[in-house]
Amino acid sequence: MNLTRRQMLRASVGVAAAGVFGFALPAAATPEATAESIKKFTGGADPVSGGNLTLTAPEIAENGNTVPVEIAVDSPMTDDDYVESVVIYAEGNPNPDVVVFHFTPMSGAAVAKTRMRLAKTQNVVAVAKTSTGQVFMDKKEVKVTIGGCGG
Amino acid sequence: MKNKIIAKATAVALTVFVPGIAIAGGPVDDELIIDGDINMITRAAPPEGHPLDEVLSGWLYRTEETRMLETDTFENPGMLEVEDGAELWNTVDGSAGKSCASCHGDAEESMAGVGASFPKWDEASKRPINVELQIDKCRTEEMGAKAYKFDAPEQKALTAYVKNQSLGTPVAINLDEGDMRSWWEKGNEAYYTRTGQLNLSCASCHEQNNGNYIRADHLSQGNVNGFPTYRLKQAALVSVHNRFRGCIRDTRAEYPAAFSDVLMALEVYVTWRGTGLSVETPAVRQ
Amino acid sequence: MDNIKPRVKVPKSASAGDIIQIKTLINHPMESGLRKGKDGNPIPRQIINKFTCEFNGKTVFSCDLEPAISANPYLEFSAKVTEPGTFKFIWMDDDGSVYETENKIAIK
């Protein structure tokens, strides 16, 4: 067996596309559709990658139905300077939108955690917008595996 | 019983990945502590006659994210259905005007440890019964209510609630009662019998290949100490007989009815294989 | 929808100025609208589309949920507590249902 891990995953994903997920019907969104949504969210501003926004998601999800995802933004969260909102996109889902978190200075910290559905292996993208007009981005690839004989 | 195993472990139709290229890791060296308080036994010394050197919980074969879900009773989504079970426990049903609580009082006291000892011998029906069938027995004989349909949400919730009262208690079934040993024998035979177009037995995957991969899925020893289990795939509790049937279906065989003799025998045998592991209900699996 | 029970986990008390962690879980199928039923027809979408957490009447945190959120939605976030009061949690369903629950918090 000389398959590399990447080849294996790719092979698995091919089968998964016809799988049991809630998302089997329509065609997947594209990274372009996500880029379009990000532009709308930021009002055209180019997000700064790395640093202030951290997106945490598993490298490998055992089941695409329930994938934990967490965001944290380094921010003073004062009335003058706080994170207004953070949006999460799944580039390969039929609809890339996952969730928008809205924070206030009363949030104390710009952190949030939820569980999402991923139709296949894909990039998950988070974009944060602050009250001072800063825009941050972070991106993680999540590999979605499929089950045993039954999928 | 090991002589029943055919040495050609891996059916041609399967791709079982070698551990060297493991992608989810495991069985991991990790401890399951629930709510920072209940130390769970996930590795146990096997009972006499067990084919494996160590009995391992399926929890050890899951990714960190899946494992974490079980360590916090608030975050464990299976607990939503356990709470439904608590409500059912106190709800009057049937012509006798009784609830479970009418006879058994507070489940936290009366059911503590009980789930760890099922299946057990039922002298009246001359066969082993599991928690689901014990609930039905109470309903039909004491409450004047109908038996639940297999996998009715109420059946899963109440079974999970009863078993959850044994969270942490090591699995220990009594094979000395009634005819339990002959049912154990029948279950043992079923465990090693290859079925379906893929020609697989339970042992093909869960004994000979636990720790390996079947496609991208990491095979466990197939212990049942966490059932009903919250499966991420179904996003709901899954009963042990549903899981048995799913596995058999996946060998591309016709699957037996829930609670049929063969599946009850299998439940006796497979539960015994997990002797010593803590009851994890509701466990969280992929 | 009937039989929806929200659950929240909030500390009973905190020191003034503390940032506390809040966890919420609600039983809901989050039907995506993209699945087919047994009859081959699409199952209509029904999800919780909005969640809000208020403290003494002011919004602390809210979010817009899409069908990509898993069944039985789980949300974890934080809140800065400066005075004793009441947290109110509100989930809005596509069908117009609103599920609410409240938790009081004291100052140590």
Side-chain angles (χ1 to χ4, degrees):
Chain A
M1 217 163 322
N2 292 320
L3 282 177
T4 64
R5 166 175 139 158
R6 189 160 294 276
Q7 283 166 330
M8 245 164 55
L9 285 162
R10 206 174 286 145
S12 310
V13 165
V15 186
V20 294
F21 293 110
F23 293 142
L25 302 178
T30 58
E32 291 72 38
T34 304
E36 211 40 51
S37 299
I38 292 173
K39 232 181 235 166
K40 262 184 218 155
F41 176 75
T42 64
D46 276 334
V48 180
S49 286
N52 291 32
L53 167 64
T54 309
L55 169 73
T56 309
E59 190 190 337
I60 294 165
E62 279 186 294
N63 193 294
N65 260 348
T66 312
V67 183
V69 61
E70 196 174 348
I71 56 95
V73 192
D74 194 6
S75 162
M77 294 304 275
T78 58
D79 288 344
D80 300 329
D81 184 4
Y82 66 95
V83 176
E84 281 178 355
S85 46
V86 177
V87 61
I88 298 178
Y89 301 105
E91 281 185 351
N93 274 358
N95 171 353
D97 298 331
V98 176
V99 66
V100 191
F101 300 116
H102 304 281
F103 300 95
T104 69
M106 283 174 75
S107 307
V111 293
K113 193 173 168 184
T114 188
R115 299 167 186 162
M116 66 183 166
R117 293 166 169 153
L118 295 179
K120 57 177 186 176
T121 294
Q122 58 183 286
N123 283 325
V124 177
V125 183
V127 183
K129 205 162 59 174
T130 73
S131 61
T132 59
Q134 287 179 293
V135 186
F136 307 114
M137 182 163 94
D138 196 12
K139 191 190 272 196
K140 290 271 146 65
E141 191 194 23
V142 180
K143 298 178 177 87
V144 177
T145 66
I146 46 157
C149 349
Chain B
M1 290 306 142
K2 278 182 98 172
N3 56 8
K4 283 184 183 163
I5 307 161
I6 301 160
K8 278 182 275 174
T10 313
V12 188
L14 276 176
T15 314
V16 177
F17 300 134
V18 295
I21 49 168
I23 50 170
V28 294
D29 187 17
D30 196 0
E31 280 177 39
L32 174 54
I33 301 169
I34 295 181
D35 295 340
D37 184 35
I38 308 168
N39 286 283
M40 305 288 281
I41 304 161
T42 56
R43 291 172 181 266
E48 205 190 319
H50 199 292
L52 300 169
D53 295 334
E54 195 178 21
V55 179
L56 302 173
S57 163
W59 184 79
L60 298 167
Y61 293 82
R62 305 280 52 95
T63 60
E64 191 186 351
E65 290 77 17
T66 309
R67 293 203 306 278
M68 287 303 291
L69 287 173
E70 202 180 315
T71 61
D72 183 317
T73 45
F74 186 88
E75 292 186 36
N76 181 341
M79 289 303 290
L80 289 166
E81 285 165 87
V82 169
E83 283 180 7
D84 290 343
E87 233 177 271
L88 289 165
W89 179 267
N90 293 303
T91 305
V92 171
D93 197 7
S95 57
K98 287 184 194 169
S99 70
C100 305
S102 309
C103 295
H104 299 288
D106 183 353
E108 285 185 26
E109 284 172 29
S110 65
M111 292 297 123
V114 169
S117 64
F118 275 84
K120 55 168 63 174
W121 184 250
D122 178 50
E123 193 50 40
S125 62
K126 301 275 181 206
R127 64 199 297 265
I129 56 170
N130 54 14
V131 174
E132 287 90 334
L133 293 176
Q134 177 62 61
I135 290 168
D136 279 348
K137 208 170 135 87
C138 285
R139 289 178 59 79
T140 54
E141 293 174 15
E142 310 293 335
M143 295 166 69
K146 277 189 188 158
Y148 286 130
K149 236 177 106 184
F150 170 58
D151 265 355
E154 293 85 358
Q155 181 178 64
K156 290 194 285 180
L158 203 47
T159 302
Y161 177 62
V162 169
K163 289 203 123 175
N164 182 247
Q165 305 312 315
S166 303
L167 189 71
T169 308
V171 170
I173 60 169
N174 187 353
L175 295 177
D176 293 328
E177 282 183 332
D179 215 5
M180 285 290 274
R181 286 199 186 272
S182 76
W183 284 78
W184 181 96
E185 288 286 350
K186 269 185 261 175
N188 175 296
E189 198 179 318
Y191 191 87
Y192 290 104
T193 303
R194 290 171 177 273
T195 60
Q197 290 174 323
L198 296 185
N199 198 31
L200 292 169
S201 70
C202 306
S204 311
C205 289
H206 298 290
E207 183 168 307
Q208 288 138 17
N209 281 297
N210 75 76
N212 291 340
Y213 285 83
I214 182 163
R215 297 208 295 195
D217 204 356
H218 196 203
L219 287 166
S220 74
Q221 289 183 356
N223 288 315
V224 293
N225 54 307
F227 280 89
T229 286
Y230 188 89
R231 288 193 84 207
L232 302 180
K233 180 179 164 186
Q234 279 91 353
L237 286 182
V238 171
S239 68
V240 68
H241 283 244
N242 181 304
R243 193 71 197 90
F244 283 158
R245 282 153 49 110
C247 262
I248 297 167
R249 179 202 60 213
D250 292 348
T251 70
R252 301 188 195 157
E254 280 193 41
Y255 50 82
F259 313 136
S260 59
D261 284 358
V262 63
L263 289 191
M264 277 314 302
L266 193 61
E267 184 177 352
V268 168
Y269 178 71
V270 174
T271 304
W272 170 83
R273 284 179 74 107
T275 298
L277 296 176
S278 289
V279 172
E280 290 181 32
T281 311
V284 181
R285 302 288 185 261
Q286 80 289 16
Chain C
M1 285 184 90
D2 297 332
N3 205 25
I4 303 289
K5 277 172 301 193
R7 301 164 90 205
V8 297
K9 194 175 180 183
V10 180
K12 288 198 173 64
S13 66
S15 301
D18 274 1
I19 296 171
I20 60 161
Q21 187 186 51
I22 296 176
K23 296 177 177 181
T24 75
L25 186 64
I26 189 165
N27 58 319
H28 195 284
M30 295 295 279
E31 192 58 60
S32 69
L34 301 173
R35 291 200 311 164
K36 278 182 184 171
K38 282 188 177 137
D39 58 4
N41 294 319
I43 304 170
R45 167 184 145 151
Q46 187 174 2
I47 66 165
I48 287 172
N49 57 55
K50 185 146 186 84
F51 167 82
T52 306
C53 165
E54 294 173 358
F55 184 67
N56 292 345
K58 284 186 205 143
T59 301
V60 173
F61 169 86
S62 69
C63 56
D64 308 315
L65 310 177
E66 297 290 338
I69 294 295
S70 305
N72 305 323
Y74 174 82
L75 289 164
E76 192 180 307
F77 52 92
S78 64
K80 189 172 183 177
V81 184
T82 51
E83 54 179 356
T86 306
F87 281 104
K88 187 174 179 185
F89 304 93
I90 308 151
W91 290 258
M92 316 270 272
D93 193 305
D94 274 350
D95 74 358
S97 307
V98 178
Y99 319 111
E100 288 183 4
T101 186
E102 289 186 356
N103 273 58
K104 284 193 176 4
I105 190 164
I107 294 294
K108 280 182 207 165

